Amino acid sequence: DWSSDVCSSDLDLKSAQAQLREARARANFTDAALYPQLTLNAGANRSESGGNGKPNYSHSAGFDASWEIDLFGGNRRASEAAVASAQASEASLRDVEVSLVAEVANAYISLRTLEARRAVAAGNLASQQETRNLTRWRWQAGLASELDFVQSESTLAQTRAKLPAFDSQIEETRNQLAILLGVQPAQLPDLSASTGRIPAYSSLAGLRIPLDTLRQRPDLRAAERKLAAQTVQVGVATAARYPALNLSGSIGFQADDAGRLLRADSLLNSLAANLAAPIFDAGRIRANIAIQNALLDQALATYEKTVLQALADVENALMALAKTAAREADLKEANASAQSADQLARQRYASGLADHLAVLEAERTLLSVQDSLKSVEGERASALVQLYKAMGGSPAIGENGK
């Protein structure tokens, strides 16, 4: 299960996790404005006056409280906006996780595809060596020309030259997979048990994707939450046009002597209310409302674009699945025919009923068809990963394909 092994050392993932922590902290910070603020204070003062050298002492202790009454819901809307932003960050983190898992899966599929193609080349190399040996024997026996033997050597060398290129690509892909998993290449788990086995899955014919599943795409949900947060921000800006009511109060003790500080006659208390309403601000509030409305239009356009992109991604993935499945079926038929042609050409050449060119052509065709077949098997598996990503990592795919 590659998704459970993806390491959190990926920088994009760490950045998204930090953004989520920030958004949650901002939500808590904004929510605190809905509640009263209480502070404790204590102090002592020494002063002299009149030049008589006699100091005056004053001691105090008490509590101060303040509370902004949310008459028109500005603070509540700000809190709702912060919560929606935190939800958007959470969805963005999930989007990064899905993308990372898809990249790991694609790298793994690429590795297995390259191994399978190398195995095809190595298998054909063994067959071509047999043909080269047969051609050399026929040439030495005077039944074939030196040209036939040289052509066999050339074909064999061309196929042998493919192996180092595959080895290099396989090593590069392993290193890429290690980076995605956050480990050193030497620490990559042993994958030799299934070398060359391209991941397969059952048919997805007739697969239907519920709209509710598509709505859970992380990037779509993040765009929707950002739109919700910006909608509320318009309300926050609008609330600034109305009066604000603040209540404040204090209770404490004050005395010249610390020993008399807690006596009843040292008790002090106060309560105040303050109502403030904007009269003239040179259009600042109106301009801020216009800014927030413009940002709302941008968020709406982004959301609509994300919806269209989600639909296009799913359609493209389903089309890729269908096309690669059709190509794979055709190449399997071509492979069966190419194998028969190769075997027949060898038999006829060994019997002297066919020339050497027919054998070379059959070998080249077989190698090409088998290589294309392994490539399209990898493409089909990658198309499933594409569908997984297009659906936002929905587990619904697992019910239809493996």
Short mmCIF file of all heavy atoms in Angstrom, two decimals, residues 128-183:
data_model
loop_
_atom_site.label_atom_id
_atom_site.label_comp_id
_atom_site.label_asym_id
_atom_site.label_seq_id
_atom_site.Cartn_x
_atom_site.Cartn_y
_atom_site.Cartn_z
N GLN A 128 17.41 -14.30 -30.81
CA GLN A 128 18.26 -13.82 -31.90
C GLN A 128 19.65 -14.46 -31.85
O GLN A 128 20.30 -14.63 -32.89
CB GLN A 128 18.36 -12.29 -31.83
CG GLN A 128 17.05 -11.60 -32.20
CD GLN A 128 17.08 -10.11 -31.92
OE1 GLN A 128 18.12 -9.55 -31.57
NE2 GLN A 128 15.93 -9.46 -32.08
N GLN A 129 20.11 -14.81 -30.65
CA GLN A 129 21.38 -15.50 -30.54
C GLN A 129 21.29 -16.90 -31.18
O GLN A 129 22.23 -17.35 -31.84
CB GLN A 129 21.80 -15.61 -29.08
CG GLN A 129 22.30 -14.30 -28.49
CD GLN A 129 22.58 -14.40 -27.00
OE1 GLN A 129 22.00 -15.25 -26.31
NE2 GLN A 129 23.44 -13.54 -26.50
N GLU A 130 20.15 -17.54 -30.97
CA GLU A 130 19.94 -18.84 -31.61
C GLU A 130 19.94 -18.70 -33.13
O GLU A 130 20.51 -19.53 -33.86
CB GLU A 130 18.64 -19.46 -31.13
CG GLU A 130 18.63 -19.83 -29.65
CD GLU A 130 17.29 -20.38 -29.22
OE1 GLU A 130 16.37 -20.48 -30.07
OE2 GLU A 130 17.13 -20.71 -28.02
N THR A 131 19.27 -17.66 -33.62
CA THR A 131 19.25 -17.42 -35.06
C THR A 131 20.64 -17.14 -35.59
O THR A 131 21.04 -17.63 -36.67
CB THR A 131 18.31 -16.23 -35.39
OG1 THR A 131 17.00 -16.52 -34.90
CG2 THR A 131 18.25 -15.98 -36.88
N ARG A 132 21.41 -16.33 -34.84
CA ARG A 132 22.80 -16.03 -35.26
C ARG A 132 23.62 -17.30 -35.34
O ARG A 132 24.39 -17.52 -36.30
CB ARG A 132 23.41 -15.03 -34.27
CG ARG A 132 24.80 -14.47 -34.66
CD ARG A 132 25.94 -15.34 -34.19
NE ARG A 132 25.82 -15.69 -32.78
CZ ARG A 132 26.38 -14.98 -31.81
NH1 ARG A 132 27.07 -13.91 -32.08
NH2 ARG A 132 26.26 -15.40 -30.55
N ASN A 133 23.47 -18.19 -34.34
CA ASN A 133 24.22 -19.44 -34.34
C ASN A 133 23.82 -20.33 -35.52
O ASN A 133 24.68 -20.97 -36.17
CB ASN A 133 24.00 -20.19 -33.02
CG ASN A 133 24.58 -19.44 -31.84
OD1 ASN A 133 25.49 -18.62 -32.00
ND2 ASN A 133 24.06 -19.71 -30.65
N LEU A 134 22.50 -20.36 -35.79
CA LEU A 134 22.03 -21.15 -36.92
C LEU A 134 22.57 -20.60 -38.24
O LEU A 134 23.02 -21.35 -39.13
CB LEU A 134 20.51 -21.18 -36.94
CG LEU A 134 19.85 -21.88 -38.15
CD1 LEU A 134 20.26 -23.36 -38.20
CD2 LEU A 134 18.34 -21.72 -38.10
N THR A 135 22.56 -19.27 -38.36
CA THR A 135 23.04 -18.63 -39.59
C THR A 135 24.53 -18.88 -39.77
O THR A 135 25.01 -19.12 -40.90
CB THR A 135 22.75 -17.12 -39.55
OG1 THR A 135 21.36 -16.91 -39.32
CG2 THR A 135 23.14 -16.44 -40.84
N ARG A 136 25.30 -18.83 -38.69
CA ARG A 136 26.74 -19.09 -38.80
C ARG A 136 26.99 -20.53 -39.24
O ARG A 136 27.88 -20.79 -40.08
CB ARG A 136 27.41 -18.82 -37.45
CG ARG A 136 28.93 -19.09 -37.47
CD ARG A 136 29.58 -18.58 -36.21
NE ARG A 136 28.98 -19.13 -35.02
CZ ARG A 136 29.29 -18.76 -33.78
NH1 ARG A 136 30.19 -17.80 -33.60
NH2 ARG A 136 28.69 -19.30 -32.74
N TRP A 137 26.20 -21.45 -38.68
CA TRP A 137 26.37 -22.85 -39.10
C TRP A 137 26.05 -23.03 -40.57
O TRP A 137 26.77 -23.72 -41.30
CB TRP A 137 25.46 -23.73 -38.24
CG TRP A 137 25.46 -25.17 -38.67
CD1 TRP A 137 26.36 -26.12 -38.32
CD2 TRP A 137 24.52 -25.79 -39.55
NE1 TRP A 137 26.06 -27.32 -38.92
CE2 TRP A 137 24.92 -27.15 -39.69
CE3 TRP A 137 23.39 -25.35 -40.24
CZ2 TRP A 137 24.22 -28.05 -40.49
CZ3 TRP A 137 22.71 -26.25 -41.02
CH2 TRP A 137 23.11 -27.59 -41.15
N ARG A 138 24.97 -22.42 -41.03
CA ARG A 138 24.58 -22.53 -42.44
C ARG A 138 25.63 -21.87 -43.34
O ARG A 138 25.91 -22.35 -44.45
CB ARG A 138 23.21 -21.89 -42.65
CG ARG A 138 22.06 -22.72 -42.07
CD ARG A 138 20.72 -21.98 -42.23
NE ARG A 138 20.43 -21.71 -43.63
CZ ARG A 138 19.86 -22.58 -44.48
NH1 ARG A 138 19.54 -23.80 -44.07
NH2 ARG A 138 19.64 -22.25 -45.75
N TRP A 139 26.18 -20.75 -42.88
CA TRP A 139 27.22 -20.07 -43.68
C TRP A 139 28.47 -20.94 -43.79
O TRP A 139 29.06 -21.08 -44.87
CB TRP A 139 27.53 -18.72 -43.03
CG TRP A 139 28.73 -18.02 -43.59
CD1 TRP A 139 29.04 -17.84 -44.91
CD2 TRP A 139 29.81 -17.43 -42.86
NE1 TRP A 139 30.22 -17.17 -45.06
CE2 TRP A 139 30.73 -16.89 -43.79
CE3 TRP A 139 30.08 -17.28 -41.50
CZ2 TRP A 139 31.88 -16.24 -43.41
CZ3 TRP A 139 31.23 -16.62 -41.11
CH2 TRP A 139 32.12 -16.11 -42.06
N GLN A 140 28.88 -21.52 -42.65
CA GLN A 140 30.06 -22.38 -42.66
C GLN A 140 29.83 -23.64 -43.50
O GLN A 140 30.78 -24.19 -44.07
CB GLN A 140 30.43 -22.78 -41.22
CG GLN A 140 30.92 -21.60 -40.39
CD GLN A 140 31.13 -21.96 -38.93
OE1 GLN A 140 30.65 -23.01 -38.47
NE2 GLN A 140 31.83 -21.10 -38.21
N ALA A 141 28.55 -24.05 -43.58
CA ALA A 141 28.23 -25.23 -44.38
C ALA A 141 27.97 -24.88 -45.84
O ALA A 141 27.69 -25.77 -46.65
CB ALA A 141 27.00 -25.94 -43.79
N GLY A 142 28.05 -23.59 -46.18
CA GLY A 142 27.84 -23.16 -47.54
C GLY A 142 26.38 -23.07 -47.94
O GLY A 142 26.08 -22.98 -49.14
N LEU A 143 25.50 -23.09 -46.94
CA LEU A 143 24.06 -23.01 -47.23
C LEU A 143 23.52 -21.59 -47.11
O LEU A 143 22.34 -21.35 -47.41
CB LEU A 143 23.29 -23.93 -46.27
CG LEU A 143 23.66 -25.41 -46.35
CD1 LEU A 143 22.90 -26.20 -45.30
CD2 LEU A 143 23.39 -25.97 -47.75
N ALA A 144 24.33 -20.66 -46.64
CA ALA A 144 23.92 -19.26 -46.50
C ALA A 144 25.10 -18.38 -46.82
O ALA A 144 26.26 -18.82 -46.78
CB ALA A 144 23.40 -18.99 -45.09
N SER A 145 24.82 -17.14 -47.13
CA SER A 145 25.89 -16.20 -47.48
C SER A 145 26.45 -15.55 -46.23
O SER A 145 25.83 -15.55 -45.16
CB SER A 145 25.35 -15.13 -48.43
OG SER A 145 24.40 -14.32 -47.76
N GLU A 146 27.65 -14.97 -46.41
CA GLU A 146 28.24 -14.22 -45.29
C GLU A 146 27.38 -13.02 -44.92
O GLU A 146 27.33 -12.60 -43.77
CB GLU A 146 29.65 -13.77 -45.68
CG GLU A 146 30.37 -13.04 -44.56
CD GLU A 146 31.77 -12.61 -44.96
OE1 GLU A 146 32.16 -12.84 -46.14
OE2 GLU A 146 32.47 -12.03 -44.12
N LEU A 147 26.68 -12.46 -45.92
CA LEU A 147 25.79 -11.33 -45.66
C LEU A 147 24.71 -11.71 -44.65
O LEU A 147 24.39 -10.90 -43.76
CB LEU A 147 25.15 -10.86 -46.97
CG LEU A 147 24.12 -9.73 -46.85
CD1 LEU A 147 24.77 -8.48 -46.26
CD2 LEU A 147 23.49 -9.44 -48.21
N ASP A 148 24.15 -12.90 -44.75
CA ASP A 148 23.14 -13.34 -43.79
C ASP A 148 23.70 -13.35 -42.37
O ASP A 148 23.04 -12.91 -41.41
CB ASP A 148 22.62 -14.73 -44.14
CG ASP A 148 21.80 -14.74 -45.42
OD1 ASP A 148 21.40 -13.63 -45.86
OD2 ASP A 148 21.54 -15.83 -45.95
N PHE A 149 24.93 -13.87 -42.26
CA PHE A 149 25.55 -13.93 -40.94
C PHE A 149 25.81 -12.54 -40.37
O PHE A 149 25.55 -12.27 -39.20
CB PHE A 149 26.85 -14.73 -41.01
CG PHE A 149 27.60 -14.74 -39.71
CD1 PHE A 149 27.12 -15.46 -38.61
CD2 PHE A 149 28.78 -14.04 -39.57
CE1 PHE A 149 27.82 -15.46 -37.41
CE2 PHE A 149 29.47 -14.04 -38.36
CZ PHE A 149 28.99 -14.75 -37.28
N VAL A 150 26.32 -11.63 -41.21
CA VAL A 150 26.60 -10.26 -40.76
C VAL A 150 25.31 -9.55 -40.34
O VAL A 150 25.27 -8.83 -39.34
CB VAL A 150 27.32 -9.47 -41.87
CG1 VAL A 150 27.45 -8.00 -41.48
CG2 VAL A 150 28.70 -10.06 -42.13
N GLN A 151 24.25 -9.77 -41.08
CA GLN A 151 22.96 -9.16 -40.72
C GLN A 151 22.45 -9.70 -39.38
O GLN A 151 21.88 -8.96 -38.57
CB GLN A 151 21.94 -9.42 -41.83
CG GLN A 151 22.18 -8.62 -43.09
CD GLN A 151 21.21 -8.96 -44.21
OE1 GLN A 151 20.72 -10.11 -44.28
NE2 GLN A 151 20.93 -8.01 -45.08
N SER A 152 22.67 -10.99 -39.13
CA SER A 152 22.27 -11.56 -37.84
C SER A 152 23.06 -10.94 -36.71
O SER A 152 22.52 -10.63 -35.63
CB SER A 152 22.48 -13.09 -37.86
OG SER A 152 21.61 -13.71 -38.76
N GLU A 153 24.36 -10.75 -36.93
CA GLU A 153 25.21 -10.11 -35.93
C GLU A 153 24.75 -8.68 -35.65
O GLU A 153 24.71 -8.22 -34.51
CB GLU A 153 26.66 -10.10 -36.40
CG GLU A 153 27.35 -11.45 -36.33
CD GLU A 153 27.79 -11.79 -34.91
OE1 GLU A 153 27.57 -10.96 -34.00
OE2 GLU A 153 28.32 -12.89 -34.71
N SER A 154 24.37 -7.96 -36.73
CA SER A 154 23.93 -6.57 -36.58
C SER A 154 22.63 -6.49 -35.77
O SER A 154 22.50 -5.66 -34.86
CB SER A 154 23.74 -5.93 -37.95
OG SER A 154 23.21 -4.63 -37.83
N THR A 155 21.68 -7.36 -36.10
CA THR A 155 20.41 -7.37 -35.38
C THR A 155 20.61 -7.71 -33.91
O THR A 155 20.02 -7.10 -33.01
CB THR A 155 19.44 -8.39 -36.02
OG1 THR A 155 19.21 -8.03 -37.38
CG2 THR A 155 18.11 -8.41 -35.28
N LEU A 156 21.49 -8.67 -33.65
CA LEU A 156 21.78 -9.07 -32.28
C LEU A 156 22.40 -7.92 -31.49
O LEU A 156 22.04 -7.66 -30.34
CB LEU A 156 22.72 -10.28 -32.29
CG LEU A 156 23.07 -10.88 -30.92
CD1 LEU A 156 21.83 -11.46 -30.26
CD2 LEU A 156 24.14 -11.97 -31.10
N ALA A 157 23.34 -7.20 -32.12
CA ALA A 157 24.01 -6.07 -31.45
C ALA A 157 23.02 -4.94 -31.16
O ALA A 157 23.08 -4.29 -30.10
CB ALA A 157 25.17 -5.58 -32.31
N GLN A 158 22.11 -4.69 -32.09
CA GLN A 158 21.11 -3.63 -31.88
C GLN A 158 20.21 -3.95 -30.69
O GLN A 158 19.90 -3.07 -29.88
CB GLN A 158 20.28 -3.45 -33.15
CG GLN A 158 21.03 -2.86 -34.33
CD GLN A 158 20.17 -2.77 -35.57
OE1 GLN A 158 18.98 -2.48 -35.48
NE2 GLN A 158 20.76 -3.04 -36.73
N THR A 159 19.80 -5.21 -30.58
CA THR A 159 18.94 -5.59 -29.45
C THR A 159 19.73 -5.55 -28.14
O THR A 159 19.21 -5.10 -27.11
CB THR A 159 18.37 -7.00 -29.67
OG1 THR A 159 17.65 -7.03 -30.91
CG2 THR A 159 17.43 -7.38 -28.54
N ARG A 160 20.99 -6.00 -28.18
CA ARG A 160 21.82 -5.97 -26.98
C ARG A 160 22.05 -4.54 -26.50
O ARG A 160 22.12 -4.28 -25.29
CB ARG A 160 23.17 -6.65 -27.26
CG ARG A 160 24.01 -6.85 -26.00
CD ARG A 160 25.39 -7.38 -26.33
NE ARG A 160 25.32 -8.68 -26.98
CZ ARG A 160 25.73 -8.92 -28.22
NH1 ARG A 160 26.21 -7.93 -28.98
NH2 ARG A 160 25.65 -10.14 -28.73
N ALA A 161 22.11 -3.59 -27.42
CA ALA A 161 22.35 -2.19 -27.06
C ALA A 161 21.16 -1.57 -26.32
O ALA A 161 21.31 -0.54 -25.64
CB ALA A 161 22.66 -1.37 -28.31
N LYS A 162 20.00 -2.18 -26.43
CA LYS A 162 18.82 -1.64 -25.73
C LYS A 162 18.91 -1.87 -24.22
O LYS A 162 18.35 -1.09 -23.43
CB LYS A 162 17.54 -2.30 -26.26
CG LYS A 162 17.21 -1.98 -27.71
CD LYS A 162 15.95 -2.72 -28.15
CE LYS A 162 15.61 -2.44 -29.61
NZ LYS A 162 15.19 -1.03 -29.82
N LEU A 163 19.60 -2.94 -23.81
CA LEU A 163 19.60 -3.31 -22.39
C LEU A 163 20.24 -2.25 -21.49
O LEU A 163 19.68 -1.90 -20.45
CB LEU A 163 20.29 -4.67 -22.21
CG LEU A 163 19.63 -5.84 -22.94
CD1 LEU A 163 20.34 -7.15 -22.60
CD2 LEU A 163 18.15 -5.95 -22.59
N PRO A 164 21.44 -1.71 -21.82
CA PRO A 164 22.02 -0.66 -20.96
C PRO A 164 21.12 0.57 -20.85
O PRO A 164 21.07 1.19 -19.78
CB PRO A 164 23.35 -0.33 -21.64
CG PRO A 164 23.69 -1.55 -22.43
CD PRO A 164 22.38 -2.08 -22.91
N ALA A 165 20.43 0.91 -21.94
CA ALA A 165 19.53 2.07 -21.89
C ALA A 165 18.38 1.81 -20.92
O ALA A 165 18.00 2.69 -20.12
CB ALA A 165 18.99 2.38 -23.29
N PHE A 166 17.82 0.59 -20.97
CA PHE A 166 16.77 0.24 -20.02
C PHE A 166 17.29 0.25 -18.58
O PHE A 166 16.61 0.72 -17.67
CB PHE A 166 16.19 -1.14 -20.36
CG PHE A 166 15.18 -1.12 -21.48
CD1 PHE A 166 15.31 -1.97 -22.56
CD2 PHE A 166 14.09 -0.26 -21.44
CE1 PHE A 166 14.38 -1.97 -23.59
CE2 PHE A 166 13.16 -0.24 -22.47
CZ PHE A 166 13.30 -1.10 -23.55
N ASP A 167 18.50 -0.28 -18.38
CA ASP A 167 19.08 -0.32 -17.04
C ASP A 167 19.23 1.09 -16.47
O ASP A 167 18.97 1.34 -15.28
CB ASP A 167 20.45 -1.01 -17.06
CG ASP A 167 20.33 -2.50 -17.34
OD1 ASP A 167 19.24 -3.06 -17.05
OD2 ASP A 167 21.30 -3.09 -17.83
N SER A 168 19.66 2.03 -17.31
CA SER A 168 19.82 3.42 -16.87
C SER A 168 18.48 4.04 -16.50
O SER A 168 18.34 4.68 -15.45
CB SER A 168 20.48 4.24 -17.98
OG SER A 168 20.60 5.60 -17.60
N GLN A 169 17.46 3.82 -17.33
CA GLN A 169 16.13 4.36 -17.05
C GLN A 169 15.53 3.73 -15.79
O GLN A 169 14.87 4.42 -15.01
CB GLN A 169 15.21 4.12 -18.25
CG GLN A 169 15.55 4.95 -19.47
CD GLN A 169 14.64 4.63 -20.64
OE1 GLN A 169 14.66 3.54 -21.21
NE2 GLN A 169 13.79 5.57 -20.99
N ILE A 170 15.76 2.44 -15.60
CA ILE A 170 15.25 1.76 -14.41
C ILE A 170 15.88 2.35 -13.15
O ILE A 170 15.18 2.61 -12.15
CB ILE A 170 15.52 0.25 -14.50
CG1 ILE A 170 14.61 -0.39 -15.55
CG2 ILE A 170 15.32 -0.43 -13.14
CD1 ILE A 170 14.94 -1.83 -15.86
N GLU A 171 17.17 2.59 -13.18
CA GLU A 171 17.85 3.15 -12.01
C GLU A 171 17.37 4.58 -11.73
O GLU A 171 17.15 4.95 -10.56
CB GLU A 171 19.37 3.14 -12.24
CG GLU A 171 20.19 3.53 -11.01
CD GLU A 171 20.00 2.56 -9.86
OE1 GLU A 171 19.68 1.37 -10.12
OE2 GLU A 171 20.17 3.00 -8.70
N GLU A 172 17.18 5.38 -12.77
CA GLU A 172 16.68 6.75 -12.59
C GLU A 172 15.27 6.74 -11.99
O GLU A 172 14.94 7.56 -11.12
CB GLU A 172 16.67 7.48 -13.93
CG GLU A 172 18.06 7.80 -14.46
CD GLU A 172 18.01 8.45 -15.84
OE1 GLU A 172 16.89 8.67 -16.35
OE2 GLU A 172 19.09 8.74 -16.40
N THR A 173 14.43 5.81 -12.45
CA THR A 173 13.07 5.74 -11.93
C THR A 173 13.06 5.28 -10.48
O THR A 173 12.25 5.76 -9.67
CB THR A 173 12.22 4.78 -12.79
OG1 THR A 173 12.30 5.19 -14.16
CG2 THR A 173 10.76 4.82 -12.37
N ARG A 174 13.94 4.35 -10.12
CA ARG A 174 14.06 3.93 -8.72
C ARG A 174 14.46 5.11 -7.84
O ARG A 174 13.95 5.28 -6.73
CB ARG A 174 15.08 2.80 -8.58
CG ARG A 174 14.57 1.42 -9.00
CD ARG A 174 15.68 0.38 -8.82
NE ARG A 174 16.15 0.36 -7.45
CZ ARG A 174 15.59 -0.35 -6.48
NH1 ARG A 174 14.54 -1.10 -6.72
NH2 ARG A 174 16.09 -0.31 -5.25
N ASN A 175 15.38 5.92 -8.32
CA ASN A 175 15.81 7.09 -7.55
C ASN A 175 14.67 8.08 -7.39
O ASN A 175 14.48 8.68 -6.32
CB ASN A 175 17.00 7.76 -8.24
CG ASN A 175 18.25 6.90 -8.21
OD1 ASN A 175 18.37 5.99 -7.38
ND2 ASN A 175 19.18 7.16 -9.11
N GLN A 176 13.89 8.27 -8.46
CA GLN A 176 12.73 9.16 -8.38
C GLN A 176 11.72 8.64 -7.36
O GLN A 176 11.15 9.41 -6.58
CB GLN A 176 12.07 9.28 -9.76
CG GLN A 176 10.82 10.17 -9.76
CD GLN A 176 10.09 10.13 -11.09
OE1 GLN A 176 10.47 9.41 -12.01
NE2 GLN A 176 9.00 10.87 -11.19
N LEU A 177 11.49 7.33 -7.36
CA LEU A 177 10.56 6.73 -6.41
C LEU A 177 11.06 6.91 -4.98
O LEU A 177 10.27 7.20 -4.06
CB LEU A 177 10.39 5.24 -6.74
CG LEU A 177 9.35 4.45 -5.94
CD1 LEU A 177 7.97 5.08 -6.11
CD2 LEU A 177 9.33 3.01 -6.40
N ALA A 178 12.36 6.78 -4.78
CA ALA A 178 12.93 6.97 -3.45
C ALA A 178 12.74 8.40 -2.96
O ALA A 178 12.40 8.64 -1.79
CB ALA A 178 14.41 6.60 -3.46
N ILE A 179 12.94 9.35 -3.86
CA ILE A 179 12.75 10.76 -3.48
C ILE A 179 11.31 11.02 -3.07
O ILE A 179 11.03 11.69 -2.07
CB ILE A 179 13.16 11.68 -4.65
CG1 ILE A 179 14.67 11.61 -4.89
CG2 ILE A 179 12.73 13.11 -4.39
CD1 ILE A 179 15.13 12.36 -6.12
N LEU A 180 10.35 10.48 -3.83
CA LEU A 180 8.94 10.68 -3.52
C LEU A 180 8.57 10.05 -2.18
O LEU A 180 7.70 10.56 -1.46
CB LEU A 180 8.07 10.09 -4.63
CG LEU A 180 8.09 10.83 -5.96
CD1 LEU A 180 7.36 10.03 -7.03
CD2 LEU A 180 7.47 12.21 -5.82
N LEU A 181 9.23 8.95 -1.84
CA LEU A 181 8.96 8.28 -0.56
C LEU A 181 9.77 8.88 0.58
O LEU A 181 9.59 8.49 1.74
CB LEU A 181 9.27 6.78 -0.67
CG LEU A 181 8.35 5.99 -1.60
CD1 LEU A 181 8.83 4.56 -1.73
CD2 LEU A 181 6.92 6.02 -1.07
N GLY A 182 10.65 9.82 0.26
CA GLY A 182 11.42 10.49 1.31
C GLY A 182 12.52 9.63 1.90
O GLY A 182 12.87 9.80 3.07
N VAL A 183 13.07 8.70 1.11
CA VAL A 183 14.16 7.85 1.60
C VAL A 183 15.32 7.92 0.62
O VAL A 183 15.16 8.36 -0.52
CB VAL A 183 13.70 6.38 1.77
CG1 VAL A 183 12.57 6.28 2.77
CG2 VAL A 183 13.28 5.78 0.42
#
